[in-house]
Amino acid sequence: MPLSVRSVPTSPFEGQKPGTSGLRKRVKVFKQVNYTENFIQAIFTAMPAPGPQNATMVVGGDGRYYMKDVVQKIVRIGAANGIKRFIIGQDGILSTPAASAIIRKNNADGGIILTASHNPGGPQNDFGIKYNTRNGGPAPESVTDAIYEATRTISEYQEAELDEPVDLSTVGVQQFGQVTVDIVDSTADYVDLIKEIFDFELIRKFRQEAPEFSLLFDALNGVTGPYGRRIFVKELGFPESCLEQCTPLEDFGGSHPDPNLTYAHKLVERVNREIITLGAASDGDGDRNMVLSHDWFVTPSDSVAVIAHYAECIPYFKRTGVQGLARSMPTSCAIDRVAAAKGLEVFEVPTGWKFFGNLMDAGRLSICGEESFGTGSDHIREKDGIWAIVAWLNIIAHVNQTKPGATVRSIMLDFFATYGRNYFTRYDYEEVESAGASQMMDHLRTLKPGVCDNEYTIVNIDDFEYTDPIDKSVTKNQGVRIVFEDTSRIIFRLSGTGSQGATVRIYIERYDDQSVDMDAQDALKPLVDIARKLSMLEKFTGRTEPTVIT
């Protein structure tokens, strides 16, 4: 029997414009009457042709507060708009990479991912809704613009009347009139994919031959806890003690689920205290990662470059080959040097994983990364934290075949001996007053090339603009780049991933092929001082110290 559908009158809310990773606001904003419903309806209204009629939609999220309520709303509104099949993770749980994998495996028409990524969760914190298209990747700007336009003109939303809520707790098929709801194991398809990509047999063999090797994985009480347990413990045989904070919690245990040296301090402290060989963390929704050891922190820029260098030891790339490499504009140029050595194309794109998708779909990109702890490949269309961590396990096991005792530190020093080192750091100033941040950016755009101190000469200043080589779309105003005579760079951006205020990000990079074992902060201090002076940061923002240094 067809479901009964009702039209609910509503009116637009200001500011429902999706950012680089969907719509993110405080929970209290989403809980306003009709606010969430409006945005969900706008997604279905703006779905690319042929639209929602008889479509299959993947739904899941990172387990944060309010997620399960919104899953139910999506089913009711989606069913009223013609969605025929929903694929939903058990208990609503799906990591962002797993959602992308399931969309692609099932040839689904898209997915709605409920996450605010690395932002805090709980009733007083953040929530988010992101729409992914049928390639499994974040919606391109043409689609997010259409969603925004729909939010501005909405006058009603459609809602199906279900006899009872969807049972999210039980794997299996549920039928609501003509609508099918499949509740699936949250980890199964993703784990199967990861096992096809990496050499699990080699990693297991390495563990047996090097029992002193230790792993510590911290899920920061985010979505990847169950995935980590399934891969690291069940499949690879590491002890349960290798897991830290691996139970998904609605408020992430009151912590900030962002895998960096500041917010993943429990991991950093344990790795140093227990002399852990490989420490790793992932974020709230599982698309970011951090890799370190007791004697080395691997910057995300270096991590993706190392993975690209060793790609031939990963079975997936043995089968597919490496078609090209890419990085976001603020990411260091280390991967460019790998591309040059291997004769590969390399692309510099704006921040936002969606910009990699077109290149992947066109067969021109295999491995890519962002300095914001995002690393991935063309196996899906999202960055993938667990993928990057298992890649490092695969690389360590591979290198130890010819260099027994090789560690994260020795692998990095060997890499620098080959390519030189791109020293890199990022300073984040979070929840800065938006007007002051914008004034600072306007000031930076007025600067001119020339000598700025006795050591550094500016040769170019621009506001990064990207023309997509596949669809020729143009993306402007992506960050002010200051390039120096010695190729050093300082980049200023306002981030779009926060829920309120502005986050000022300053990226600083310097290349050195002689002294490659310095502390990054020492190596970059002169440029840090120049960045603060040129930007007049304290004057415009009132900030004297960053919130996070990476």
Side-chain angles (χ1 to χ4, degrees), residues 88-91 167-174 181-186:
I88 304 174
Q90 187 177 17
D91 294 319
D167 178 5
L168 299 175
S169 65
T170 304
V171 172
V173 178
Q174 301 169 46
V181 178
D182 286 343
I183 305 299
V184 299
D185 183 313
S186 301

Side-chain angles (χ1 to χ4, degrees), residues 7-13 16 32-39 41-42 150-158:
S7 296
V8 181
T10 189
S11 55
F13 290 85
Q16 288 193 319
Q32 295 175 92
V33 175
N34 291 348
Y35 187 94
T36 298
E37 289 84 350
N38 279 20
F39 191 73
Q41 177 62 61
T151 70
R152 297 176 62 196
T153 58
I154 190 170
S155 61
E156 63 180 14
Y157 64 86
Q158 306 299 311

Side-chain angles (χ1 to χ4, degrees), residues 125-361:
N125 287 307
D126 295 351
F127 190 75
I129 302 176
K130 182 172 79 163
Y131 173 62
N132 281 28
T133 54
R134 58 176 53 89
N135 76 342
E141 288 188 7
S142 59
V143 176
T144 56
D145 286 346
I147 292 171
Y148 178 49
E149 185 58 32
T151 70
R152 297 176 62 196
T153 58
I154 190 170
S155 61
E156 63 180 14
Y157 64 86
Q158 306 299 311
E159 184 175 61
E161 297 180 355
L162 307 185
D163 291 337
E164 58 186 6
V166 176
D167 178 5
L168 299 175
S169 65
T170 304
V171 172
V173 178
Q174 301 169 46
Q175 199 70 35
F176 298 88
Q178 72 276 26
V179 178
T180 300
V181 178
D182 286 343
I183 305 299
V184 299
D185 183 313
S186 301
T187 64
D189 286 342
Y190 177 80
V191 172
D192 287 345
L193 178 61
I194 292 295
K195 288 169 67 177
E196 292 174 2
I197 293 171
F198 296 107
D199 194 339
F200 274 43
E201 183 177 347
L202 176 65
I203 297 170
R204 293 189 195 101
K205 180 173 180 287
F206 164 66
R207 282 203 63 248
Q208 293 171 354
E209 295 174 350
E212 71 280 3
F213 179 86
S214 55
L215 169 71
L216 182 60
F217 170 67
D218 190 343
L220 298 174
N221 292 130
V223 74
T224 55
Y227 298 84
R229 179 170 282 106
R230 184 78 182 270
I231 291 171
F232 301 129
V233 176
K234 184 175 179 181
E235 297 292 343
L236 293 175
F238 285 96
E240 184 78 17
S241 59
C242 82
L243 304 177
E244 173 88 16
Q245 300 188 109
C246 278
T247 300
L249 299 176
E250 288 191 336
D251 66 348
F252 307 110
S255 64
H256 198 138
D258 194 355
N260 59 45
L261 296 172
T262 298
Y263 294 126
H265 61 89
K266 288 183 180 179
L267 171 72
V268 175
E269 291 161 5
R270 276 197 63 187
V271 165
N272 291 334
R273 183 173 65 248
E274 299 174 27
I275 314 179
I276 299 293
T277 319
L278 179 66
S282 189
D283 70 332
D285 70 322
D287 64 352
R288 300 184 183 214
N289 75 95
M290 178 174 71
V291 172
L292 72 161
S293 68
H294 64 90
D295 57 359
W296 198 272
F297 165 65
V298 183
T299 71
S301 299
D302 286 340
S303 181
V304 68
V306 168
I307 292 170
H309 174 69
Y310 285 103
E312 70 276 0
C313 80
I314 295 172
Y316 176 83
F317 297 117
K318 287 181 182 177
R319 296 192 301 269
T320 66
V322 177
Q323 310 308 317
L325 307 176
R327 60 174 172 83
S328 65
M329 180 272 288
T331 302
S332 91
C333 299
I335 197 170
D336 301 45
R337 301 182 187 281
V338 177
K342 294 182 177 291
L344 296 169
E345 274 192 298
V346 63
F347 300 92
E348 181 182 44
V349 308
T351 297
W353 206 258
K354 59 190 175 186
F355 294 103
F356 295 124
N358 274 359
L359 296 166
M360 291 178 179
D361 290 344

